[in-house]
């Protein structure tokens, strides 16, 4: 009889753990669905907008014009302007900071972690996990 | 209770996917507009049109790089807290 009661308790415990896990996944998805798009929107908006393109074009154009005015051959001026643009557009190195190697120190990772912890604290899930 | 949690999680997941699709479309549109503006400014400064077009394409290739990095990061996310 006692063994049966133990088994029922174990089943209840198991079910409770699964419920907590499901709640946790739900909470993670809620935070991620709110935070991730806005973070990406911010990054993308700062690089890809008509204004950003115009400003970058103005800077590159002025650079090219100065080179041409100072008597630089056209081919070299174009190549130097190309290098100048690649300084702006070389986002690969910047994006690598958000990559898996340095995830713990990245701002996005920290921000998401902070929001998730806050959310769990609100719902009392943080205590269950610890 | 469990069903409601699954429905809620599914809803948030759908919102996230929809937001990401919209973001991807917006990114394509914004990149196109930015490339055109960039090209226009280069032509205005006296650069030949073909060269300006080539440089503008280089500028818009940043979009592909951003997407590549983003999907690379998404595929390696783990939700440890």
């Amino acid at each position: 009889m006692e063994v049966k009661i133990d088994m029922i308790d174990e089943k209840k415990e198991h079910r409770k753990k699964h419920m907590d896990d499901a709640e946790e996944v739900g909470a993670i998805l809620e935070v991620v669905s709110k935070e991730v798009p806005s973070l990406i929107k911010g990054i993308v908006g700062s690089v890809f907008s008509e204004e950003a393109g115009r400003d970058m074009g103005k800077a590159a154009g002025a650079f090219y014009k100065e080179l041409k005015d100072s008597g630089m051959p056209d081919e070299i001026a174009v190549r130097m302007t190309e290098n100048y643009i690649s300084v702006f557009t070389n986002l690969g190195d910047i994006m690598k900071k958000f990559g898996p190697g340095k995830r713990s120190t990245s701002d996005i990772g920290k921000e998401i972690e902070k929001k998730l912890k806050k959310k769990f604290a609100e719902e009392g899930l943080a205590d269950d996990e610890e | 209770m469990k069903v409601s949690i699954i429905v809620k999680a599914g809803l948030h997941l759908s919102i996230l996917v929809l937001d990401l699709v919209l973001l991807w479309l917006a990114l394509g549109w914004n990149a196109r507009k930015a490339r055109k503006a960039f090209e226009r400014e280069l032509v205005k400064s006296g650069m030949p049109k073909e060269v300006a077009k080539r440089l503008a394409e280089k500028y818009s290739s940043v979009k592909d790089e951003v997407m590549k990095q983003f999907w690379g990061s998404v595929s390696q996310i783990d939700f440890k807290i």
Side-chain angles (χ1 to χ4, degrees), chain A residues 18-19 22-23 26 28-30 32-33 37 40-41 44 47-50 53-54 56-58 60-61 64-65 78 81-82 85-86 89 91-92 95 98 100 103 116-117 120 129, chain B residues 1-2 5 8-9 12-13 15-16 19-20 23 27 30-31 33-34 37-38 40-42 45-48 51 54-55 58-60 62-63 65-66 69-70 73 76 78-79 81:
Chain A
H18 276 279
M19 288 290 270
E23 276 175 24
I28 288 169
L29 283 172
E30 192 179 342
V32 167
S33 69
I40 298 170
K41 216 178 271 179
V44 163
V47 183
F48 291 110
S49 65
E50 199 173 350
R54 200 183 304 125
M56 223 174 267
K58 263 183 196 166
Y64 175 78
K65 207 174 175 184
V78 168
T81 311
E82 213 172 326
I85 291 166
S86 70
T89 56
L91 272 183
M95 294 296 282
F98 301 116
R103 198 182 317 130
L116 283 172
K117 276 183 179 167
F120 289 149
E129 198 188 18
Chain B
M1 176 71 176
K2 205 167 187 176
I5 291 168
K8 215 171 143 186
H12 287 304
L13 197 63
I15 290 168
L16 177 65
D19 269 353
L20 289 177
L23 256 175
L27 174 64
N30 285 349
K33 272 179 26 182
F38 182 80
R40 219 178 298 130
E41 288 300 326
L42 286 181
S45 70
M47 193 178 273
V51 178
R54 186 161 54 86
L55 292 185
K58 198 174 177 186
Y59 168 70
S60 69
V62 176
K63 183 201 131 193
E65 205 176 332
V66 168
Q69 292 286 341
F70 172 70
S73 306
Q76 288 172 15
D78 58 0
F79 293 104
I81 301 159

Side-chain angles (χ1 to χ4, degrees), chain A:
Chain A
M1 185 69 177
E2 207 167 284
V3 175
K4 215 171 184 180
I5 292 167
D6 280 350
M7 276 175 70
I8 291 167
D9 284 347
E10 206 172 288
K11 263 188 180 176
K12 274 184 184 171
E13 193 70 30
H14 194 251
R15 191 172 289 172
K16 193 179 175 293
K17 193 179 174 294
H18 276 279
M19 288 290 270
D20 285 348
D21 286 348
E23 276 175 24
E24 203 171 313
V25 170
I28 288 169
L29 283 172
E30 192 179 342
V31 174
V32 167
S33 69
K34 275 180 197 160
E35 298 303 321
V36 169
S38 60
L39 282 167
I40 298 170
K41 216 178 271 179
I43 294 168
V44 163
S46 63
V47 183
F48 291 110
S49 65
E50 199 173 350
E51 205 184 334
R54 200 183 304 125
D55 290 346
M56 223 174 267
K58 263 183 196 166
F63 183 75
Y64 175 78
K65 207 174 175 184
E66 283 297 320
L67 290 176
K68 287 287 287 174
D69 289 349
S70 64
M72 187 83 72
D74 197 47
E75 200 184 314
I76 295 169
V78 168
R79 206 179 304 154
M80 284 181 82
T81 311
E82 213 172 326
N83 287 340
Y84 178 68
I85 291 166
S86 70
V87 174
F88 292 123
T89 56
N90 197 6
L91 272 183
D93 295 337
I94 299 165
M95 294 296 282
K96 271 174 197 157
K97 285 180 186 170
F98 301 116
K102 294 179 178 176
R103 198 182 317 130
S104 58
T105 55
S106 78
D107 290 343
I108 290 180
K110 276 180 186 169
E111 189 67 23
I112 290 175
E113 201 175 308
K114 208 168 79 185
K115 295 273 179 186
L116 283 172
K117 276 183 179 167
K118 195 179 161 192
K119 180 83 187 166
F120 289 149
E122 276 171 15
E123 294 182 3
L125 287 171
D127 297 336
D128 292 351
E129 198 188 18
E130 283 160 14

